[in-house]
Amino acid sequence: MEGLRGPSDYSQEPTRHPSLRINAKTPFNAEATRDDLIASYITPVDFFFKRNHGPIPIVDDINSYYVSVGGLLENPKQLSLADIKKLPKYNVTATLQCAGNRRTEMSKTRTVRGVGWDVAAVSNAIWGGAKLADVLELVGISNHTAVTPSGGKHVEFISVDNCVEEHGGPYKASIALDQATNPAADVLLAYEMNGEVINRDHGYPLRVVVPGVIGARSVKWLDRIDIIEEECQGFFMQKDYKMFPPTVDWDNIIWSTRKPQMDFPVQSAICSFKDEDVVKQGKVTIAGYAVSGGGRGIERVDISVDGGKTWLEAHRFQKTDVPYVSGDTSSDKWAWVFFKADVEISGDAEIIAKAVDSSANVQPESIGAIWNLRGILNTSWHHIRLQVA
Ligand code: MTE
């Protein structure tokens, strides 16, 4: 790991925007306020959620930085940033969502373990970089390969940060070789975010972006890529970020019974209000975001102002006020949509948002049905109680 270093303490953290809501200081975990989150379709870097498991790594010398590509590879290679930048550059607009988004709300139903997040552990950026499929082709693995001659079936990404959960070892994760070598999956090694050099918080000098998949697989501060036979055995693949049923608790959990979570399910949240906000009687605008994993578009966002008795369909858009049509080739396939609905409020109201994706998957009604001990993937209907002044 020449050129890139994972410090063991928090004395050299970057400065961050003062209006972020800090959920944990060390490691630094923070999200935008609801208003800031929906102020712009492309989330400004300052307001993009920050999810870390250790101190932020430092680049000592960018000229001696390289990514080692090895594992079950006949000819292991070391790629400098310049080598990666020589490959065709792609700009992919993709929403990253932490599996812990909306965990605080889930913990109100029944206690869960993990950092508490409101509704903004999700953000949308334009990632600039090389396609992983091209990088793998450069080291001799052709596109659309599910298994290499040496038996490699997964691609592991290894960082340099010191994670408590890894007993001081680095953060790592893997994805299937199939997905990694598919150019249409748009998996990137990104060196830019919103047109600028990616900053330290988000993975400088190079990070993985796996669109449509929980953020945990988008490894930051990339140090090594290994072609491996079995999926990554690291903590965050095997002992975390797995979805268990409500019957499983800490006294009866068997981690190996579940697969690491990859795609995220359909999600939406209202961001124009907080619970118990006081409004004037009359017209109010309900606004927020909706997103689904695996490249599935958002087919519909339904809004209720009477606790789910009746529903109306919200207006959806990506770029400012261009109506969004799921599956339209001009839409950003991997990105969230914003929604808006003007509704009349005559008295205290229970507002609900629920989204439907292009495969007709619908957000679950109750948290109870999807409660899980780590509090991941709270995608239940989003409720806001408004009081009339
Ligand atoms: N990569 C490294 N090296 N270390 C980390 O702690 N956190 C992961 C992922 N990649 C993490 C990492 C998790 S859980 C998420 S949700 C995303 O990064 C968050 O990316 P962001 O901080 O750029 O929003």
Side-chain angles (χ1 to χ4, degrees):
M1 63 148 154
E2 263 170 72
L4 187 61
R5 179 166 52 88
S8 52
D9 65 29
Y10 293 90
S11 60
Q12 297 168 82
E13 294 285 286
T15 48
R16 281 104 177 190
H17 199 279
S19 66
L20 282 178
R21 197 191 116 123
I22 298 175
N23 298 323
K25 267 197 176 145
T26 55
F28 189 76
N29 288 296
E31 62 188 305
T33 62
R34 293 183 181 192
D35 287 341
D36 285 343
L37 188 69
I38 56 159
S40 142
Y41 167 71
I42 301 296
T43 314
V45 174
D46 277 353
F47 293 148
F48 201 99
F49 78 98
K50 293 156 196 2
R51 173 66 177 120
N52 300 300
H53 293 86
I56 306 298
I58 294 171
V59 173
D60 286 322
D61 174 15
I62 196 62
N63 295 318
S64 58
Y65 168 77
Y66 54 78
V67 182
S68 314
V69 193
L72 296 171
L73 200 63
E74 267 177 30
N75 298 306
K77 275 222 165 81
Q78 293 194 329
L79 302 175
S80 67
L81 200 55
D83 294 330
I84 288 166
K85 285 186 174 173
K86 272 184 218 141
L87 293 168
K89 182 186 164 195
Y90 292 86
N91 284 311
V92 175
T93 305
T95 299
L96 282 196
Q97 179 174 215
C98 181
N101 194 24
R102 299 181 58 200
R103 180 181 281 131
T104 300
E105 190 188 338
M106 184 174 274
S107 68
K108 286 181 187 152
T109 301
R110 201 169 127 199
T111 310
V112 298
R113 269 189 215 165
V115 176
W117 294 92
D118 187 45
V119 302
V122 59
S123 307
N124 189 42
I126 305 170
W127 306 98
K131 283 201 185 182
L132 178 62
D134 291 344
V135 174
L136 294 177
E137 201 167 34
L138 193 66
V139 300
I141 304 175
S142 18
N143 284 183
H144 304 289
T145 301
V147 50
T148 63
S150 50
K153 290 196 211 114
H154 299 266
V155 181
E156 183 176 46
F157 312 114
I158 305 165
S159 182
V160 292
D161 43 349
N162 293 288
C163 303
V164 184
E165 295 89 337
E166 290 281 12
H167 308 288
Y171 191 95
K172 49 188 173 183
S174 68
I175 62 170
L177 185 66
D178 216 12
Q179 183 178 13
T181 57
N182 177 4
D186 288 331
V187 180
L188 290 189
L189 299 192
Y191 44 82
E192 280 183 14
M193 187 176 178
N194 295 350
E196 312 226 309
V197 174
I198 198 162
N199 75 9
R200 275 181 66 206
D201 258 331
H202 297 288
Y204 178 77
L206 197 64
R207 82 171 298 168
V208 183
V209 174
V210 190
V213 163
I214 61 164
R217 313 307 174 210
S218 290
V219 175
K220 305 194 269 189
W221 315 293
L222 189 60
D223 181 49
R224 241 168 67 207
I225 299 176
D226 280 344
I227 309 303
I228 53 175
E229 192 181 340
E230 305 284 339
E231 69 198 2
C232 165
Q233 294 301 302
F235 180 90
F236 301 99
M237 287 286 285
Q238 301 303 333
K239 297 269 170 83
D240 202 357
Y241 301 121
K242 289 186 174 186
M243 180 71 161
F244 282 88
T247 46
V248 172
D249 218 328
W250 295 102
D251 50 2
N252 64 355
I253 186 165
I254 304 173
W255 285 97
S256 59
T257 55
R258 298 284 150 190
K259 285 198 158 56
Q261 186 67 38
M262 300 308 277
D263 286 5
F264 54 79
V266 58
Q267 171 76 291
S268 75
I270 297 164
C271 298
S272 50
F273 294 103
K274 294 184 305 303
D275 218 15
E276 311 299 346
D277 269 355
V278 178
V279 295
K280 282 198 198 122
Q281 199 169 18
K283 199 175 96 175
V284 298
T285 301
I286 309 298
Y289 66 81
V291 64
S292 192
R296 286 176 291 276
I298 293 296
E299 188 57 32
R300 228 172 65 215
V301 179
D302 298 332
I303 302 291
S304 175
V305 293
D306 55 13
K309 288 193 205 88
T310 60
W311 299 89
L312 60 94
E313 197 177 332
H315 165 66
R316 289 165 293 127
F317 55 96
Q318 284 188 325
K319 283 127 206 145
T320 313
D321 277 332
V322 178
Y324 168 87
V325 180
S326 166
D328 184 334
T329 48
S330 67
S331 68
D332 291 324
K333 179 179 177 190
W334 305 109
W336 62 13
V337 304
F338 277 179
F339 67 82
K340 234 179 216 173
D342 292 331
V343 297
E344 285 290 327
I345 305 280
S346 51
D348 292 357
E350 187 177 352
I351 317 283
I352 303 175
K354 75 166 149 76
V356 180
D357 74 14
S358 56
S359 300
N361 296 307
V362 188
Q363 288 179 251
E365 179 171 349
S366 77
I367 295 182
I370 52 167
W371 181 94
N372 61 93
L373 71 174
R374 273 290 276 118
I376 65 162
L377 303 177
N378 177 14
T379 54
S380 58
W381 294 3
H382 193 224
H383 293 248
I384 299 280
R385 277 154 291 268
L386 290 184
Q387 291 171 18
V388 166

